[in-house]
Amino acid sequence: MSQVDSLDTEHLAAYLEAHVDGFQGPLTATKFDGGQSNPTFHLRAASGEYVLRRQPPGKLLKSAHAVDREFRVMNALRDTAVPVPRMYHLCEDRDVIGSMFYVMEFCQGRIFWDAAIPEVDNDARTAMYTEMNRVLAALHDVDLEANGLADYGKPGSYFERQLGRWSKQYRASEINHIPAMEDLMAWLEEHLPADDGQVSLVHGDYRLDNMMWHPEEPRVIAVLDWELSTLGHPLADLAYQCMQLRMPQEGGNLSGLQGKDRPALGIPTEKEYVAMYCQRRGIDHIDHWEFYLAFSFFRLAAIAQGVAKRAQDGNASSKKAAAVGQVVEPLAQMAMRIVREGA
């Protein structure tokens, strides 16, 4: 078993007994399937069940795999309208298991991977999309000052900074020359909208399968995977979720609603979903929607390229990581279709 898939449970149990209130070994650890970024484990101990999320071992891209930021933001959100797991401990000592990690509450619930949510009926689907919309609006309404997040990122010029960051990360992990990515980066640079002053907490990967749902009710009990969260522009999260829903029905990270009859499934159209969000947040209209969508495709393509590069270097969390690199070009091509044909 590779280092990325295993933990020294005896050593870890002794550490957690000393640092987590009430923790008692012995301990077993099982790695969760899915996810290419930060390996995540289900811990079972004499004192109960927990979740451990760690950085992958080895050389990492600058600012990537920020489990310490994940811990901080979820801990800060514990008393807000945004549902998050309870945080127990952040370990920044890489000698304990070979990389930084944190331990949090194990939430018993459901995770859905297919954007069409075939496991439930139409009424439940409608309620679940409405709930995702509600949680997203609540996330963007979080009082940053009151919850200790005013310095969680640089306020203003979000898209300019993000475009620079992900362009550099893409170049750092580039394997093959992809013309569509070159076209997309050039278009984004040329069409960068002026900063409009909106600043909120943004999740960065807000989508169906990053939420834990109540075992029976259409209710989110925990928003997960905050690695990409920062202070930014709220419409980045909205566009990102809509971008994902435009994707084909291919399962995994590409599960979208392309070609699906949304009304027949009880799922709101993109226009309806955006209108619902705008109503919740008191927004009259959205300018530059094509840019926000195209940027979302670009950023996801850059992330996928990073996963592929780690796979090539033998340092990725998931065995599926190498295949993720194959989506970079299609993502860039989808974005260019949007900018040529309109959203």
Side-chain angles (χ1 to χ4, degrees):
M1 186 177 286
S2 70
Q3 188 183 359
V4 78
D5 290 329
S6 63
L7 296 171
D8 180 344
T9 52
E10 189 174 338
H11 183 53
L12 177 61
Y15 175 87
L16 294 178
E17 283 178 352
H19 292 86
V20 175
D21 288 345
F23 187 93
Q24 285 186 310
L27 167 69
T28 61
T30 307
K31 185 172 178 289
F32 287 107
D33 292 331
Q36 286 77 40
S37 185
N38 294 319
T40 307
F41 296 82
H42 184 183
L43 306 183
R44 294 177 177 87
S47 52
E49 297 178 81
Y50 308 82
V51 172
L52 181 148
R53 191 157 159 87
R54 67 178 294 184
Q55 290 180 320
K59 185 180 178 181
L60 305 175
L61 288 173
K62 183 183 177 182
S63 79
H65 313 285
V67 296
D68 50 338
R69 287 177 61 81
E70 283 192 322
F71 180 90
R72 178 187 171 185
V73 71
M74 285 190 280
N75 202 37
L77 292 171
R78 63 189 179 276
D79 296 322
T80 70
V82 182
V84 288
R86 181 182 174 191
M87 296 291 107
Y88 292 126
H89 180 68
L90 171 67
C91 176
E92 298 180 276
D93 181 355
R94 288 168 171 79
D95 291 337
V96 177
I97 64 169
S99 61
M100 194 190 309
F101 71 91
Y102 65 86
V103 176
M104 64 180 172
E105 172 189 10
F106 174 77
C107 297
Q108 189 69 54
R110 299 174 292 170
I111 290 181
F112 298 96
W113 298 93
D114 187 329
I117 324 179
E119 298 91 342
V120 303
D121 62 21
N122 279 19
D123 288 344
R125 272 190 287 269
T126 301
M128 289 173 73
Y129 271 86
T130 302
E131 169 73 347
M132 281 194 283
N133 196 281
R134 180 196 69 77
V135 172
L136 185 61
L139 165 61
H140 295 153
D141 283 337
V142 166
D143 186 324
L144 301 174
E145 194 73 43
N147 291 285
L149 292 170
D151 63 345
Y152 190 62
K154 295 178 182 177
S157 305
Y158 173 74
F159 287 104
E160 181 180 1
R161 287 184 289 104
Q162 285 280 298
L163 187 55
R165 173 192 174 184
W166 290 108
S167 295
K168 287 176 185 174
Q169 294 224 357
Y170 174 74
R171 293 296 184 209
S173 54
E174 190 174 8
I175 297 172
N176 301 309
H177 179 76
I178 301 175
M181 278 294 280
E182 303 301 325
D183 292 344
L184 178 55
M185 286 191 282
W187 187 92
L188 290 169
E189 288 280 1
E190 291 169 11
H191 293 84
L192 185 70
D195 183 52
D196 63 5
Q198 291 191 61
V199 178
S200 73
L201 178 63
V202 292
H203 180 275
D205 198 10
Y206 191 84
R207 63 191 196 193
L208 176 72
D209 54 278
N210 278 336
M211 297 170 207
M212 181 68 71
W213 294 82
H214 186 277
E216 297 172 358
E217 301 170 16
R219 176 165 59 86
V220 177
I221 60 172
V223 180
L224 306 171
D225 199 356
W226 292 82
E227 181 197 347
L228 297 172
S229 62
T230 189
L231 299 190
H233 198 293
L235 294 181
D237 274 343
L238 180 65
Y240 178 86
Q241 190 181 23
C242 290
M243 176 270 303
Q244 201 221 356
L245 299 177
R246 287 169 169 257
M247 291 183 182
Q249 279 280 314
E250 292 182 11
N253 286 348
L254 270 179
S255 176
L257 294 170
Q258 188 182 100
K260 290 285 184 177
D261 184 346
R262 290 196 187 191
L265 293 171
I267 297 174
T269 64
E270 179 176 296
K271 186 176 180 180
E272 290 167 341
Y273 192 82
V274 170
M276 198 188 310
Y277 172 88
C278 289
Q279 184 176 17
R280 281 195 163 93
R281 301 204 65 239
I283 298 171
D284 292 331
H285 67 283
I286 295 177
D287 295 322
H288 312 295
W289 185 239
E290 289 92 345
F291 176 89
Y292 300 141
L293 283 172
F295 171 79
S296 296
F297 276 97
F298 161 70
R299 196 189 64 150
L300 185 59
I303 292 169
Q305 187 63 59
V307 173
K309 178 64 173 173
R310 291 200 306 279
Q312 187 183 66
D313 294 343
N315 191 31
S317 170
S318 170
K319 294 178 177 66
K320 298 177 183 176
V324 173
Q326 297 175 9
V327 308
V328 177
E329 187 168 17
L331 286 170
Q333 290 170 342
M334 282 187 250
M336 290 309 297
R337 278 197 295 275
I338 289 170
V339 304
R340 289 180 184 127
E341 301 169 10

